[in-house]
Amino acid sequence: MTNPDKLDNMTTAGFRFFAFRNIPDQDIEQNWGDFFRIFKTFEPIDIIVEKEKYHLRANQMIFVGPGRFIDLSNLRVGRGYLLCFTAAFYERSLEDTATIHSPLFFGERPVLYYDSCFGEQVFNQQITIRLGRARMQGDYIFDLVAHHCVESLLLDVYHEVSAGDQMPQPKHTTDIGLVNHFSMLIHKHCREYTAVQFYADQLHVTARKLTDICLAMTGKTAKSMILSVLLQQAVRYIKHTNLSISQISYEMGFNDESNFRNFVKRQTGHIPRALRES
């Protein structure tokens, strides 16, 4: 069985996989603000997220979204793995987008998940050893396998966490928490609602405050964030499905195909058909 202490770190653009005891010093310090993070433990360990301590038991996972500070300094005393990935690395379908922009990563608190059947030996067989073999086959194969490994860790937990389809609405929340919640709501509702006011009402803030916080945290207005996600989903339909442009415009919530074509051209500089052929 692969020993976590002797595992070589595996990284590629937008993906990192480390044994706790092998996390490099520079990675301990920089904390990867744009990465989604999954911690998998093989023995009890304490992890501090946003100054709050979480006690993880053996064979437990914790899911932490981007923008949340994690104190990684004590991880080297424990046995387990840290798997990190960006949205750009993972999002290859609308289902991928829905999975990561969900309460799994954007809830008020990190999700702790315990699976006694997914112990060290099984984890090494299904994740660690597969990644090691794929790395020897080149970057393209490694990226495909890494994506599948992440997906296998996420799906069961995602469906369980999302079963109630509800998200707690805290009375007091940090700005990053508000933006995270906004992002999740956009991915869920952007086809039906593109007005900032709808999301502001859901978040119990004014539209002006939501825009100001988004500008401060991301450099983008609330409206531009909504349109960006809408465009992202539209482009995936255009490039990765066989639906007609008319069907896609309907799926994306446009009541007129010409409005959809104009929207895509305004945002990308290209008409939908040109994007499909590129």
Side-chain angles (χ1 to χ4, degrees):
M1 175 175 24
T2 302
N3 184 337
D5 294 329
K6 297 182 179 179
L7 173 74
D8 290 334
N9 295 335
M10 289 182 272
T11 66
T12 188
F15 176 85
R16 301 182 181 189
F17 184 74
F18 302 128
F20 286 171
R21 296 177 181 177
N22 293 342
I23 299 175
D25 290 338
Q26 64 269 24
D27 290 306
I28 289 281
E29 295 169 0
Q30 71 182 34
N31 222 257
W32 317 322
D34 59 342
F35 278 78
F36 294 78
R37 288 151 289 182
I38 304 173
F39 297 82
K40 171 64 180 177
T41 64
F42 299 137
E43 62 186 14
I45 190 172
D46 291 332
I47 291 179
I48 300 174
V49 181
E50 297 288 324
K51 298 183 179 180
E52 184 171 355
K53 183 183 291 186
Y54 295 85
H55 181 71
L56 277 69
R57 296 169 290 171
N59 296 327
Q60 196 164 26
M61 290 187 286
I62 186 170
F63 299 81
V64 184
R68 289 178 170 173
F69 182 80
I70 307 173
D71 183 351
L72 302 176
S73 57
N74 73 323
L75 283 186
R76 288 173 175 159
V77 304
R79 291 175 54 253
Y81 293 108
L82 169 58
L83 188 154
C84 311
F85 61 93
T86 63
F89 170 82
Y90 187 70
E91 290 182 310
R92 305 186 184 190
S93 69
L94 294 173
E95 289 74 18
D96 290 346
T97 299
T99 301
I100 62 173
H101 291 92
S102 72
L104 182 58
F105 286 107
F106 288 112
E108 183 183 359
R109 295 164 58 86
V111 170
L112 287 169
Y113 183 75
Y114 181 74
D115 185 355
S116 59
C117 297
F118 207 53
E120 183 172 1
Q121 184 172 1
V122 174
F123 187 93
N124 278 322
Q125 289 174 345
Q126 295 188 6
I127 307 295
T128 311
I129 294 173
R130 288 183 63 206
L131 286 172
R133 289 173 177 167
R135 183 174 54 178
M136 299 174 63
Q137 297 177 278
D139 291 344
Y140 177 73
I141 297 298
F142 180 76
D143 281 356
L144 290 177
V145 173
H147 182 276
H148 186 266
C149 287
V150 174
E151 185 177 50
S152 67
L153 291 176
L154 295 182
L155 286 183
D156 286 345
V157 188
Y158 164 70
H159 288 301
E160 183 170 317
V161 169
S162 301
D165 197 29
Q166 295 193 5
M167 179 108 168
Q169 304 223 3
K171 294 181 180 179
H172 304 287
T173 183
T174 62
D175 287 350
I176 187 62
L178 185 73
V179 173
N180 287 345
H181 193 172
F182 177 45
S183 177
M184 190 208 78
L185 290 173
I186 295 171
H187 282 84
K188 185 175 181 180
H189 297 295
C190 67
R191 300 186 202 181
E192 294 81 26
Y193 303 101
T194 58
V196 174
Q197 189 63 55
F198 168 80
Y199 299 94
D201 290 343
Q202 302 299 306
L203 296 165
H204 307 295
V205 297
T206 65
R208 177 62 181 272
K209 182 175 182 180
L210 179 58
T211 291
D212 288 345
I213 291 174
C214 289
L215 277 170
M217 300 302 299
T218 70
K220 300 178 181 178
T221 66
K223 185 68 173 183
S224 67
M225 289 178 66
I226 296 168
L227 295 180
S228 177
V229 173
L230 186 65
L231 176 67
Q232 183 184 60
Q233 294 188 6
V235 170
R236 286 204 182 95
Y237 266 116
I238 292 167
K239 290 190 171 184
H240 301 296
T241 74
N242 294 321
L243 295 176
S244 69
I245 302 304
S246 177
Q247 289 173 313
I248 294 173
S249 67
Y250 175 79
E251 289 290 335
M252 296 308 302
F254 289 79
N255 55 17
D256 186 274
E257 182 181 344
S258 64
N259 289 338
F260 177 69
R261 288 199 307 267
N262 291 335
F263 165 73
V264 173
K265 186 172 183 180
R266 262 195 326 270
Q267 299 295 320
T268 69
H270 303 283
I271 61 173
R273 196 166 304 280
L275 289 176
R276 171 163 281 178
E277 294 170 356
S278 63

